Amino acid sequence: MAQSITMPKLGLTMTEGTISKWNKAEGDAVAVGEVLFVVSTDKLTYEYQSEVSGVLLKIEVPENCSIAVGGEVALVGEAGEVVSSRSAPPRTSDGKETSVAPAAVSSAASSAGKKKVVVIGGGPGGYVCAIRLAQLGADVTLVERERVGGTCLNVGCIPTKALVKSAELYGEMKHGADFGVLCSGLRVDWAAVQNRKNAVVEQLVDGVSGLLTANKVAVVSGEAHFLSSSAVEVSGRTIQADAFVIAAGSAPVIPAIPGIESEGIVTSTEALSFAKLPEKLLIVGGGVIGMEFACLYATLGVDVTVVEMMPAILPPADEEMGVIVRKRMEALGVKIHTSCKVTGFDSISSGVMTHVLDSLGRELQFSSDKVLLSIGRRADTAALNLDAAGVKAERGRIAVNKKMETSVRNIYAIGDCCSPIMLAHVASAEGEVAAENIMGASCDMDYKTVPSCVYTLPEMAWVGMTEKAAVETGRKIKVGRFPLIGNGKSLIMNETDGMVKIIADEKYGEILGVHIVGPHATDLIVEGALALRLEATADEIISTVHAHPTVGEALAEATLDLQGRAIHLPPQA
Ligand code: FAD
């Protein structure tokens, strides 16, 4: 006797679901545990695994049609069994009831004729690429082994900045008296800080899931492995496609230092969710991630030490700007040891002892209850079985051209697993380039206008060349500076330890680099990125009226300074 498969209830508020994809056709054999179809609601995408075995006798609800929870979706029985028609008619996506034979609707409304693309990885590279592909008319499947949003939303950009915001607020309230705002009993409730951070992450992850569903991207849970250049395997299921986008992201580098396995040594992922605030934290690596953690924990009252191998923290930043951030971090109490190499770790009763060699060959030791390793990230492609597809990679990093094409036709790669710059907005931009190219356009990725942002307090951001890099090109340059002590809005905010620095070509005045340390630097840098994108000159920035009072006025003033005519600086001798 045929068994009825009904629309499952996948949450308290669900009243109906849409069949976004059938994995089986009428007449196919069905085994228990096999994915029969994919259900989409406005909140989620769900793969329905069969609880019965037999033959799929009748599909009652075709692709892209909806039915109420409990409504009959299909009938499974024995081969040749005669079955009666469905209990209630399904509805098409515009709400109309359909009386068309299911198979016919299925072929008309499904992916027939559409380019089928599989995106591996649902981070800011993968999910943006998937949505753009769907907008361009592709039939898109996104495979994700953990949670959509990837590193960025779950354990990267978003949770760190949520913690930084709590730290910033605490730091400001400690200085409330400077603003005439008095507060007693001020303290940090670490559990509440964690709850807020987690809530921000959940809301954004849910939002991305909703967007994927709304764009009819089928999300498949599991780890993808290439079987060939035209098929991947996910949880025992083979998925074929016309094109693939690898957006597998990155993982922290774990150096081979003696004692590295000692308890208390963590990566950024664990450092986001310490059960309690550490008393002493040692950070290995004074790059962007290391300095953001240093700043946020020091602001919350943790005793923080940073050990960096290079002579300066934040190595890619303009040197002069890095010095300003270093001074601010030291004023906050962060102890920074540059030109120092970690040689080993030991477990001690209070946590970890870190052994360090300084540039003079002296051995230093630091005890702390936690050690954060932040010496960089590496492409995370080991699980993909790239060899089966013939995709070339060097030490895991996939080789791509400016079109984001790999060595294999119709396989693209984007984001941290291949990019020269490991940033979320770069991954997303590369995702859009790959999507356009897959769907027939011819676009190149342009890294010239990619801004870099550091969420210390104060923030730091830059785009284009540093002063040193501009000099090394051999061209004649001019440098304009404006310290924030001369900017009204910065004074209002009590944030005057910062500067805007603009680098321009001497002959043509073309803007080559913009560097900001100060409040809202990470938002203000967009003006610099646009200037570089439009190959703007100093005159064009100067003739753009900047609102008052804003920190943005400092950008105009620094540009005026290129011509020796800043209004709010004393005349140059
Ligand atoms: P990811 O976001 O890493 O996503 C890759 C996804 O692929 C993951 O979800 C993974 O589970 C999945 N995956 C991998 N292999 C498979 C497989 N075989 N099958 C199925 N799924 C797979 N960048 C910024 O721009 N601004 C910031 O402020 C910032 N802050 C950061 C803070 C921290 C602490 C960290 C660690 C990173 C930060 N970054 C920041 C970097 C940013 O998070 C990454 O550049 C960005 O997430 C890269 O995006 P992606 O899509 O390439 O990869």
Side-chain angles (χ1 to χ4, degrees), residues 119-127 143-161 220 222-225 234 246-252 268-269 272 288-289 292-293 377 380-381 383-384 414-418 421-428 430 451 453 455:
V119 179
I120 302 170
Y127 85 73
V143 186
E144 172 53 60
R145 67 182 174 192
E146 290 176 29
R147 299 211 318 160
V148 293
T151 303
C152 172
L153 264 62
N154 293 291
V155 291
C157 328
I158 297 301
T160 42
K161 277 57 188 188
V220 174
E223 191 169 68
H225 316 268
V234 185
I246 306 171
S250 61
S268 58
T269 301
L272 288 167
V288 174
I289 293 176
E292 287 183 3
F293 275 99
R377 295 180 65 86
D380 189 11
T381 55
L384 284 163
I414 57 172
D416 281 10
C417 66
C418 64
I421 310 175
M422 286 187 172
L423 288 173
H425 42 284
V426 173
S428 299
E430 291 172 344
C453 298
Y455 294 77

Side-chain angles (χ1 to χ4, degrees), residues 431-450:
E432 297 218 22
V433 167
E436 298 286 341
N437 289 332
I438 288 169
M439 298 307 283
S442 177
C443 322
D444 288 348
M445 179 64 203
D446 178 7
Y447 297 97
K448 190 179 136 197
T449 60
V450 171

Side-chain angles (χ1 to χ4, degrees), residues 6-341:
T6 56
M7 175 58 71
K9 188 165 174 69
L10 303 169
L12 272 182
T13 53
M14 177 175 168
T15 54
E16 66 171 25
T18 303
I19 304 291
S20 51
K21 189 158 181 263
W22 273 102
N23 286 353
K24 297 275 180 184
E26 287 181 1
D28 282 356
V30 177
V32 173
E34 271 190 310
V35 177
L36 208 50
F37 53 82
V38 180
V39 180
S40 301
T41 71
D42 55 347
K43 292 209 170 56
L44 53 82
T45 305
Y46 176 79
E47 290 187 336
Y48 179 89
Q49 295 180 349
S50 182
E51 291 167 4
V52 296
S53 60
V55 170
L56 181 57
L57 298 172
K58 195 164 178 57
I59 289 178
E60 301 281 19
V61 183
E63 280 187 356
N64 298 322
C65 288
S66 309
I67 195 156
V69 167
E72 195 173 80
V73 172
L75 288 164
V76 174
E78 284 175 20
E81 204 177 330
V82 178
V83 289
S84 55
S85 62
R86 63 180 168 261
S87 54
R91 291 183 297 100
T92 54
S93 49
D94 56 5
K96 291 186 187 130
E97 283 191 358
T98 174
S99 56
V100 187
V105 172
S106 180
S107 59
S110 78
S111 56
K114 284 186 173 182
K115 192 164 204 170
K116 178 155 172 100
V117 187
V118 169
V119 179
I120 302 170
Y127 85 73
V128 168
C129 182
I131 290 174
R132 184 67 191 127
L133 282 163
Q135 288 173 344
L136 292 168
D139 170 13
V140 193
T141 298
L142 185 146
V143 186
E144 172 53 60
R145 67 182 174 192
E146 290 176 29
R147 299 211 318 160
V148 293
T151 303
C152 172
L153 264 62
N154 293 291
V155 291
C157 328
I158 297 301
T160 42
K161 277 57 188 188
L163 293 182
V164 167
K165 181 64 209 172
S166 290
E168 181 183 20
L169 192 57
Y170 177 64
E172 278 190 0
M173 287 173 79
K174 279 210 292 199
H175 295 106
D178 297 348
F179 294 82
V181 179
L182 304 180
C183 161
S184 61
L186 184 66
R187 70 183 181 89
V188 175
D189 179 345
W190 182 239
V193 170
Q194 285 290 320
N195 287 343
R196 176 179 186 273
K197 178 257 292 175
N198 294 340
V200 170
V201 168
E202 289 310 311
Q203 187 168 341
L204 287 176
V205 170
D206 280 356
V208 169
S209 297
L211 284 173
L212 289 166
T213 303
N215 281 283
K216 299 200 168 25
V217 174
V219 178
V220 174
S221 295
E223 191 169 68
H225 316 268
F226 278 99
L227 297 172
S228 68
S229 60
S230 59
V232 288
E233 183 257 330
V234 185
S235 310
R237 172 178 156 205
T238 300
I239 309 177
Q240 291 189 314
D242 303 310
F244 293 85
V245 181
I246 306 171
S250 61
V253 170
I254 309 292
I257 298 175
I260 191 78
E261 68 294 337
S262 307
E263 209 183 324
I265 302 182
V266 300
T267 69
S268 58
T269 301
E270 296 81 36
L272 288 167
S273 306
F274 286 136
K276 62 182 179 78
L277 270 178
E279 275 176 32
K280 285 168 101 178
L281 174 67
L282 183 124
I283 300 177
V284 184
V288 174
I289 293 176
M291 291 317 297
E292 287 183 3
F293 275 99
C295 177
L296 90 86
Y297 277 116
T299 306
L300 291 173
V302 176
D303 179 351
V304 179
T305 300
V306 175
V307 177
E308 165 60 49
M309 208 158 77
M310 304 293 281
I313 57 163
L314 301 166
D318 187 276
E319 223 176 298
E320 185 179 8
M321 306 303 274
V323 168
I324 300 175
V325 174
R326 179 174 181 153
K327 282 189 183 150
R328 277 297 295 264
M329 292 302 104
E330 286 173 338
L332 202 58
V334 179
K335 294 174 271 287
I336 300 174
H337 299 265
T338 43
S339 302
C340 281
K341 194 178 165 192

